[in-house]
Amino acid sequence: MILHGDNQADISDLSSLWKVSLENNHCTVLGSRFADTRRLHGYSLLRTNGNRVLNILYTLLLGKNISDLGSGLNLFAKKDFNNAQVFLSFDDGFTFNMDLLIYLSQKSQPLFFCPISWKSEDEKSNASAFRVGWRALIKILTAKISMPKTQWTDQ
């Protein structure tokens, strides 16, 4: 499990991720801030729509429904991560989750997204968000993508 310690996620949402994982043979479940935007608080309209556009682009290019490129509440299946060497090549920063999504897509691993509550109270500027968004865009446009065999879904 990954839970960022910045108090943006609601730990009580972990039970929903756990339930989805159990119902789907202990698969990886990622928290999605954008699957239900009624549970998203404090994000600017620019930042919310920028994330939506990137989610759509990743969905189109990976051929799987992507509703969040990387939140701070995720539950990972150990069986999806049996090759540690692969993960050492991933970015050591904000775009780690994008590398992960591309990798799991190429392996056709089952993956689910679950709506989570999220709050952003200390957002100072969209400049950093723009920089991360730009890197996410470059990453997906330069990825070597093989078309997936399994679909991912929101729960």
Side-chain angles (χ1 to χ4, degrees):
M1 180 192 81
I2 300 287
L3 171 63
H4 291 181
D6 53 10
N7 199 34
Q8 291 180 304
D10 183 345
I11 189 66
S12 66
D13 288 332
L14 181 58
S15 62
S16 297
L17 275 71
W18 182 251
K19 180 180 177 192
V20 171
S21 181
L22 289 176
E23 290 172 349
N24 293 283
N25 197 26
H26 302 283
C27 67
T28 293
V29 181
L30 302 180
S32 176
R33 299 165 292 175
F34 304 100
D36 181 355
T37 54
R38 294 170 298 176
R39 300 175 70 180
L40 181 64
H41 304 284
Y43 263 47
S44 70
L45 187 59
L46 176 64
R47 194 168 174 189
T48 300
N49 287 335
N51 274 279
R52 286 179 174 158
V53 167
L54 286 170
N55 293 340
I56 290 168
L57 183 60
Y58 271 68
T59 294
L60 292 172
L61 294 176
L62 293 177
K64 299 180 179 194
N65 185 28
I66 306 295
S67 63
D68 199 321
L69 296 182
S71 76
L73 181 59
N74 300 300
L75 189 63
F76 296 101
K78 186 177 177 186
K79 63 187 175 192
D80 291 345
F81 302 95
N82 57 5
N83 185 352
Q85 285 302 107
V86 171
F87 303 104
L88 294 176
S89 68
F90 290 3
D91 276 351
D92 186 16
F94 286 114
T95 57
F96 175 87
N97 272 46
M98 291 104 197
D99 288 332
L100 180 67
L101 288 171
I102 293 166
Y103 172 75
L104 291 175
S105 172
Q106 290 170 337
K107 288 190 62 177
S108 297
Q109 294 296 97
L111 173 75
F112 291 82
F113 290 88
C114 185
I116 59 171
S117 299
W118 197 262
K119 62 184 176 191
S120 180
E121 297 172 335
D122 58 357
E123 182 179 339
K124 306 248 187 292
S125 134
N126 282 314
S128 178
F130 178 79
R131 199 168 25 256
V132 171
W134 180 252
R135 287 179 60 202
L137 179 64
I138 297 301
K139 183 166 291 296
I140 192 63
L141 293 177
T142 59
K144 295 178 181 156
I145 300 169
S146 59
M147 290 313 291
K149 296 176 185 142
T150 53
Q151 291 298 312
W152 296 341
T153 60
D154 286 330
Q155 290 293 303

